[in-house]
Amino acid sequence: MDFRALLPIQAVDQRIAQLQHKRAQLPEHAAAASAQRALDAARAEAKRLSKRQGDITGEIDKLEMQGKDLDAKKKKYETQLKNVVVMREVEALQHEISTINAQHSSLDDSELALITEGETLEASLATLNASTPGLEAAAAQAASALAAVLEVVDRDLAAAGDEREKFVAMADAAAVDLYESTRKRLTGPAVAELQKGACGGCRTPITAKEQTEIKKAANTTDARCPYCGCLLAV
Ligand SMILES: [Zn+2]
Protein backbone atom coordinates (compact mmCIF):
# COMPACT_ATOMS: atom_id res chain seq x y z
CA MET A 1 0.00 0.00 0.00
CA ASP A 2 1.08 3.54 -0.67
CA PHE A 3 -0.53 6.04 1.68
CA ARG A 4 0.90 8.99 -0.28
CA ALA A 5 -1.49 8.09 -3.12
CA LEU A 6 -4.37 8.57 -0.66
CA LEU A 7 -3.51 12.20 0.12
CA PRO A 8 -5.02 13.65 -3.08
CA ILE A 9 -8.17 11.54 -2.51
CA GLN A 10 -8.43 13.00 1.00
CA ALA A 11 -7.95 16.51 -0.39
CA VAL A 12 -10.66 16.09 -3.03
CA ASP A 13 -13.01 14.48 -0.48
CA GLN A 14 -12.57 17.50 1.73
CA ARG A 15 -13.43 19.75 -1.20
CA ILE A 16 -16.51 17.61 -1.99
CA ALA A 17 -17.66 17.90 1.64
CA GLN A 18 -17.23 21.67 1.50
CA LEU A 19 -19.20 21.88 -1.75
CA GLN A 20 -21.97 19.72 -0.33
CA HIS A 21 -22.13 21.95 2.73
CA LYS A 22 -22.19 25.02 0.50
CA ARG A 23 -24.94 23.45 -1.64
CA ALA A 24 -27.12 22.80 1.41
CA GLN A 25 -26.52 26.25 2.90
CA LEU A 26 -27.11 28.36 -0.23
CA PRO A 27 -29.09 31.47 0.80
CA GLU A 28 -31.05 31.03 -2.45
CA HIS A 29 -32.79 27.99 -0.87
CA ALA A 30 -34.39 30.17 1.83
CA ALA A 31 -35.21 32.96 -0.64
CA ALA A 32 -36.91 30.54 -3.06
CA ALA A 33 -38.83 28.80 -0.25
CA SER A 34 -39.98 32.10 1.20
CA ALA A 35 -41.15 33.44 -2.19
CA GLN A 36 -43.01 30.18 -2.85
CA ARG A 37 -44.60 30.32 0.61
CA ALA A 38 -45.84 33.86 -0.04
CA LEU A 39 -47.37 32.74 -3.34
CA ASP A 40 -48.95 29.63 -1.79
CA ALA A 41 -50.42 31.72 1.03
CA ALA A 42 -51.93 34.22 -1.42
CA ARG A 43 -53.40 31.40 -3.51
CA ALA A 44 -54.84 29.67 -0.43
CA GLU A 45 -56.35 32.94 0.78
CA ALA A 46 -57.89 33.62 -2.66
CA LYS A 47 -59.36 30.13 -2.63
CA ARG A 48 -60.78 30.67 0.86
CA LEU A 49 -62.30 34.03 -0.11
CA SER A 50 -63.81 32.60 -3.31
CA LYS A 51 -65.36 29.77 -1.36
CA ARG A 52 -66.81 32.21 1.17
CA GLN A 53 -68.16 34.25 -1.75
CA GLY A 54 -69.99 31.18 -3.04
CA ASP A 55 -71.30 30.42 0.44
CA ILE A 56 -72.59 33.98 0.78
CA THR A 57 -74.44 33.75 -2.53
CA GLY A 58 -76.02 30.48 -1.39
CA GLU A 59 -77.00 31.94 1.98
CA ILE A 60 -78.56 35.02 0.34
CA ASP A 61 -80.57 32.78 -2.02
CA LYS A 62 -81.81 30.82 0.97
CA LEU A 63 -82.84 33.99 2.80
CA GLU A 64 -84.62 35.26 -0.32
CA MET A 65 -86.59 32.03 -0.51
CA GLN A 66 -87.47 32.22 3.18
CA GLY A 67 -88.57 35.82 2.59
CA LYS A 68 -90.84 34.73 -0.27
CA ASP A 69 -92.40 32.05 1.94
CA LEU A 70 -93.04 34.67 4.61
CA ASP A 71 -94.56 37.01 1.98
CA ALA A 72 -96.94 34.26 0.83
CA LYS A 73 -97.93 33.44 4.41
CA LYS A 74 -98.53 37.09 5.17
CA LYS A 75 -100.69 37.47 2.05
CA LYS A 76 -102.73 34.47 3.12
CA TYR A 77 -103.28 35.91 6.62
CA GLU A 78 -104.19 39.29 5.19
CA THR A 79 -106.82 37.68 2.96
CA GLN A 80 -108.16 35.76 5.96
CA LEU A 81 -108.20 38.98 7.97
CA LYS A 82 -110.64 40.52 5.47
CA ASN A 83 -113.11 37.70 6.11
CA VAL A 84 -113.03 37.26 9.90
CA VAL A 85 -115.24 39.29 12.19
CA VAL A 86 -114.63 37.69 15.56
CA MET A 87 -112.29 40.01 17.46
CA ARG A 88 -110.29 37.15 18.97
CA GLU A 89 -109.57 35.74 15.49
CA VAL A 90 -108.73 39.21 14.17
CA GLU A 91 -106.26 39.67 16.98
CA ALA A 92 -104.77 36.23 16.41
CA LEU A 93 -104.24 36.94 12.70
CA GLN A 94 -102.82 40.38 13.45
CA HIS A 95 -100.42 38.76 15.87
CA GLU A 96 -99.33 36.25 13.18
CA ILE A 97 -98.81 39.07 10.69
CA SER A 98 -96.71 41.09 13.12
CA THR A 99 -94.63 37.99 13.90
CA ILE A 100 -94.05 37.51 10.17
CA ASN A 101 -93.07 41.17 9.82
CA ALA A 102 -90.53 40.78 12.59
CA GLN A 103 -89.15 37.60 11.02
CA HIS A 104 -88.93 39.30 7.63
CA SER A 105 -87.13 42.26 9.09
CA SER A 106 -84.63 39.93 10.74
CA LEU A 107 -84.10 38.14 7.40
CA ASP A 108 -83.52 41.48 5.70
CA ASP A 109 -80.92 42.41 8.34
CA SER A 110 -79.11 39.11 7.81
CA GLU A 111 -79.19 39.57 4.06
CA LEU A 112 -77.83 43.08 4.32
CA ALA A 113 -74.99 41.87 6.57
CA LEU A 114 -74.15 39.16 4.01
CA ILE A 115 -74.21 41.67 1.14
CA THR A 116 -71.84 43.95 3.08
CA GLU A 117 -69.55 41.01 3.84
CA GLY A 118 -69.65 40.04 0.16
CA GLU A 119 -68.61 43.53 -0.89
CA THR A 120 -65.68 43.62 1.54
CA LEU A 121 -64.67 40.17 0.34
CA GLU A 122 -64.88 41.23 -3.29
CA ALA A 123 -62.50 44.12 -2.57
CA SER A 124 -60.05 41.86 -0.69
CA LEU A 125 -60.15 39.33 -3.49
CA ALA A 126 -59.46 42.01 -6.09
CA THR A 127 -56.44 43.25 -4.11
CA LEU A 128 -55.21 39.69 -3.70
CA ASN A 129 -55.67 38.86 -7.39
CA ALA A 130 -53.82 42.03 -8.33
CA SER A 131 -50.85 41.00 -6.17
CA THR A 132 -50.69 37.40 -7.45
CA PRO A 133 -48.79 38.01 -10.73
CA GLY A 134 -46.08 39.84 -8.79
CA LEU A 135 -45.81 36.98 -6.31
CA GLU A 136 -45.71 34.44 -9.16
CA ALA A 137 -42.93 36.37 -10.87
CA ALA A 138 -40.97 36.65 -7.60
CA ALA A 139 -41.32 32.91 -6.92
CA ALA A 140 -40.27 32.02 -10.46
CA GLN A 141 -37.31 34.39 -10.26
CA ALA A 142 -36.18 33.02 -6.88
CA ALA A 143 -36.53 29.45 -8.18
CA SER A 144 -34.44 30.18 -11.25
CA ALA A 145 -31.82 32.01 -9.17
CA LEU A 146 -31.57 28.89 -6.99
CA ALA A 147 -31.36 26.64 -10.04
CA ALA A 148 -28.56 28.80 -11.46
CA VAL A 149 -26.39 28.64 -8.32
CA LEU A 150 -27.13 24.94 -7.88
CA GLU A 151 -25.98 24.34 -11.43
CA VAL A 152 -22.62 25.96 -10.66
CA VAL A 153 -22.12 23.99 -7.42
CA ASP A 154 -23.24 20.76 -9.08
CA ARG A 155 -20.79 21.33 -11.91
CA ASP A 156 -17.99 21.78 -9.34
CA LEU A 157 -19.17 18.65 -7.53
CA ALA A 158 -19.19 16.64 -10.75
CA ALA A 159 -15.68 17.86 -11.59
CA ALA A 160 -14.48 16.94 -8.09
CA GLY A 161 -16.11 13.52 -8.47
CA ASP A 162 -14.27 12.94 -11.75
CA GLU A 163 -11.03 14.01 -10.15
CA ARG A 164 -11.63 11.65 -7.26
CA GLU A 165 -12.18 8.72 -9.62
CA LYS A 166 -8.89 9.51 -11.32
CA PHE A 167 -7.01 9.55 -7.99
CA VAL A 168 -8.71 6.35 -6.85
CA ALA A 169 -7.67 4.63 -10.09
CA MET A 170 -4.10 5.75 -9.50
CA ALA A 171 -3.96 4.40 -5.92
CA ASP A 172 -3.84 0.71 -5.07
CA ALA A 173 -7.15 -0.95 -4.21
CA ALA A 174 -6.09 -2.18 -0.74
CA ALA A 175 -4.99 1.31 0.31
CA VAL A 176 -8.26 2.80 -1.00
CA ASP A 177 -10.27 0.19 0.95
CA LEU A 178 -8.36 1.05 4.13
CA TYR A 179 -8.90 4.73 3.48
CA GLU A 180 -12.67 4.24 2.96
CA SER A 181 -13.10 2.16 6.11
CA THR A 182 -11.05 4.65 8.15
CA ARG A 183 -13.05 7.56 6.72
CA LYS A 184 -16.30 5.97 7.85
CA ARG A 185 -15.10 5.88 11.45
CA LEU A 186 -13.51 9.33 11.68
CA THR A 187 -15.01 12.79 11.54
CA GLY A 188 -11.64 14.41 10.72
CA PRO A 189 -9.30 13.48 7.84
CA ALA A 190 -8.78 9.76 7.24
CA VAL A 191 -5.22 10.20 6.03
CA ALA A 192 -2.63 12.89 6.70
CA GLU A 193 1.08 13.57 6.56
CA LEU A 194 3.45 13.90 9.47
CA GLN A 195 4.15 17.63 9.46
CA LYS A 196 6.94 19.11 11.59
CA GLY A 197 6.58 16.32 14.12
CA ALA A 198 2.79 16.61 14.36
CA CYS A 199 -0.17 14.77 12.87
CA GLY A 200 -1.43 16.71 9.85
CA GLY A 201 -4.95 15.56 10.71
CA CYS A 202 -5.41 16.57 14.34
CA ARG A 203 -2.23 18.71 14.76
CA THR A 204 -1.21 16.79 17.87
CA PRO A 205 2.62 16.63 18.29
CA ILE A 206 3.91 13.09 17.93
CA THR A 207 6.92 12.07 20.01
CA ALA A 208 10.12 10.89 18.39
CA LYS A 209 9.48 7.39 19.77
CA GLU A 210 5.98 7.31 18.33
CA GLN A 211 7.32 8.58 15.01
CA THR A 212 9.84 5.77 14.89
CA GLU A 213 7.06 3.22 15.49
CA ILE A 214 4.89 4.78 12.78
CA LYS A 215 7.78 4.85 10.32
CA LYS A 216 8.46 1.19 11.03
CA ALA A 217 4.81 0.39 10.23
CA ALA A 218 4.79 2.72 7.20
CA ASN A 219 2.05 1.99 4.66
CA THR A 220 0.41 -0.65 6.84
CA THR A 221 -2.84 -0.39 8.78
CA ASP A 222 -0.75 0.32 11.92
CA ALA A 223 0.72 3.53 10.52
CA ARG A 224 -1.79 5.73 12.31
CA CYS A 225 -1.85 8.81 14.47
CA PRO A 226 -2.18 7.53 18.05
CA TYR A 227 -4.43 10.51 18.86
CA CYS A 228 -7.04 10.83 16.07
CA GLY A 229 -6.61 7.45 14.42
CA CYS A 230 -6.00 8.77 10.91
CA LEU A 231 -3.62 6.95 8.58
CA LEU A 232 -0.24 8.68 8.43
CA ALA A 233 1.77 8.92 5.25
CA VAL A 234 5.43 9.05 6.30
ZN1 LIG B 1 -3.98 12.80 14.44
Side-chain angles (χ1 to χ4, degrees):
M1 290 192 285
D2 173 19
F3 286 4
R4 295 233 148 248
L6 298 176
L7 293 170
I9 303 177
Q10 171 65 61
V12 79
D13 276 344
Q14 194 174 344
R15 208 163 73 236
I16 288 171
Q18 281 164 353
L19 285 168
Q20 279 166 343
H21 178 76
K22 182 181 168 189
R23 191 186 196 283
Q25 300 298 321
L26 287 171
E28 285 83 357
H29 280 299
S34 137
Q36 187 59 45
R37 260 199 309 276
L39 176 60
D40 290 347
R43 280 177 176 160
E45 180 64 356
K47 203 173 156 188
R48 190 185 72 79
L49 293 180
S50 295
K51 185 184 176 300
R52 180 66 193 139
Q53 233 175 6
D55 290 348
I56 286 173
T57 307
E59 281 172 41
I60 288 175
D61 287 350
K62 216 159 75 187
L63 291 176
E64 291 273 342
M65 259 160 59
Q66 286 171 355
K68 273 182 192 149
D69 287 348
L70 288 177
D71 288 342
K73 241 194 223 172
K74 185 178 167 182
K75 211 169 169 183
K76 194 183 77 184
Y77 289 144
E78 279 171 345
T79 310
Q80 284 175 6
L81 196 58
K82 282 178 197 154
N83 301 321
V84 294
V85 286
V86 180
M87 201 52 203
R88 197 163 42 79
E89 287 178 19
V90 170
E91 278 173 4
L93 283 169
Q94 277 171 342
H95 176 71
E96 290 294 341
I97 289 169
S98 92
T99 305
I100 287 174
N101 283 340
Q103 285 173 339
H104 209 304
S105 160
S106 158
L107 284 185
D108 290 344
D109 288 350
S110 302
E111 188 170 339
L112 192 67
L114 284 171
I115 289 169
T116 310
E117 190 193 340
E119 282 167 358
T120 310
L121 217 124
E122 183 87 41
S124 306
L125 201 55
T127 310
L128 204 58
N129 286 337
S131 75
T132 307
L135 292 173
E136 281 170 347
Q141 201 179 13
S144 74
L146 173 62
V149 288
L150 278 179
E151 198 187 318
V152 173
V153 180
D154 286 343
R155 207 165 43 222
D156 291 347
L157 270 170
D162 289 348
E163 217 174 307
R164 187 187 201 276
E165 272 181 39
K166 213 175 61 198
F167 291 138
V168 167
M170 276 154 52
D172 60 284
V176 172
D177 284 350
L178 186 59
Y179 168 77
E180 295 291 7
S181 64
T182 305
R183 196 157 83 100
K184 265 182 215 143
R185 284 190 289 108
L186 302 183
T187 48
V191 63
E193 282 180 286
L194 254 178
Q195 285 171 339
K196 293 178 188 159
C199 164
C202 65
R203 313 272 170 218
T204 311
I206 293 178
T207 63
K209 188 167 170 276
E210 284 165 344
Q211 285 188 42
T212 312
E213 292 298 316
I214 292 165
K215 278 174 187 158
K216 247 193 267 171
N219 291 322
T220 74
T221 186
D222 293 331
R224 291 177 189 271
C225 164
Y227 305 100
C228 70
C230 77
L231 302 169
L232 280 174
V234 290

